Amino acid sequence: GQQLNQSPQSMFIQEGEDVSMNCTSSSIFNTWLWYKQDPGEGPVLLIALYKAGELTSNGRLTAQFGITRKDSFLNISASIPSDVGIYFCAGLYQAGTALIFGKGTTLSVSS
Amino acid sequence: GAVVSQHPSRVICKSGTSVKIECRSLDFQATTMFWYRQFPKQSLMLMATSNEGSKATYEQGVEKDKFLINHASLTLSTLTVTSAHPEDSSFYICSAREWGGRNQPQHFGDGTRLSIL
């Protein structure tokens, strides 16, 4: 199936550092979502974006819906050890359809 | 918040066995549920879209006779892996979208780890 281009594939950072990851697509999406998945569990929704240009925060997380509707980024500020996990972007063409997932960014945080 | 319950969380069985996985939306109605498969260190790949009261829509390459999907109510969808073989071993995850409104997000279950010996 189709996937989004998500980068970086993995990141190794020190506690307290800021993190940035992004997703790009050749197609336009109407919704961008960011999920976090811990080992052996399902993805948990972090932020949902519904309008081009929208900038939304959830605690230390900030995500933006690109103006072209073909990209999105997620920033994590002042990382902590519990931020460790795999972060997935997901795009949605229209309501009721399935999400298209990026390949994930694995985040490792050392204290 | 919305919760999706998936059961069982882990299954280990012999080759040739059929395995049923349940996906329930606990506090909302879901006219559409989705089934994904995830191999180690890879992303989620959509297998099929399950619509309440109608036949599921399968993605290209997914055998509908092997992965039987039933969505009998607005809160329950089941995936049955028939005559499972070792290559079917994977992490299966369902998601459900709350009914109503274009901006309802999809919520995921905690997944089922299927291991076929």
Side-chain angles (χ1 to χ4, degrees), chain A residues 1-3 30-31 33 35 37 40-45 48 50 86 88 92 95-104, chain B residues 32 34 36 38 41-46 49 51 59 91 93 95 97 101-111 113:
Chain A
Q2 182 180 352
Q3 285 191 321
N30 291 317
T31 302
L33 303 161
Y35 288 87
Q37 185 179 29
E41 298 183 9
V44 174
L45 181 65
Y50 301 108
I86 304 176
F88 289 101
L92 187 67
T97 60
L99 297 173
I100 306 297
F101 279 88
K103 291 188 176 182
Chain B
T32 304
F34 304 92
Y36 294 84
Q38 186 178 32
K41 298 184 179 180
Q42 293 190 21
S43 186
L44 286 76
M45 298 302 296
L46 179 68
T49 301
N51 296 297
E59 294 299 298
F91 193 52
I93 309 174
S95 73
R97 176 179 170 271
R102 61 183 293 271
N103 288 341
Q104 296 298 331
Q106 291 184 23
H107 301 279
F108 285 83
D110 276 339
R113 174 73 60 191

Side-chain angles (χ1 to χ4, degrees), chain A residues 4-5 15 34 39 50 56 69 72 74 94:
Chain A
L4 302 174
N5 298 315
E15 182 176 1
W34 285 91
Y50 301 108
T56 298
R69 294 164 64 190
S72 176
L74 173 70
Q94 62 184 30

Side-chain angles (χ1 to χ4, degrees), chain B residues 10-30:
Chain B
R10 187 179 183 93
V11 180
I12 302 173
C13 57
K14 294 181 179 180
S15 183
T17 306
S18 291
V19 178
K20 179 184 283 188
I21 303 170
E22 293 186 348
C23 181
R24 294 181 184 272
S25 56
L26 296 185
D27 56 358
F28 65 97
Q29 293 184 328

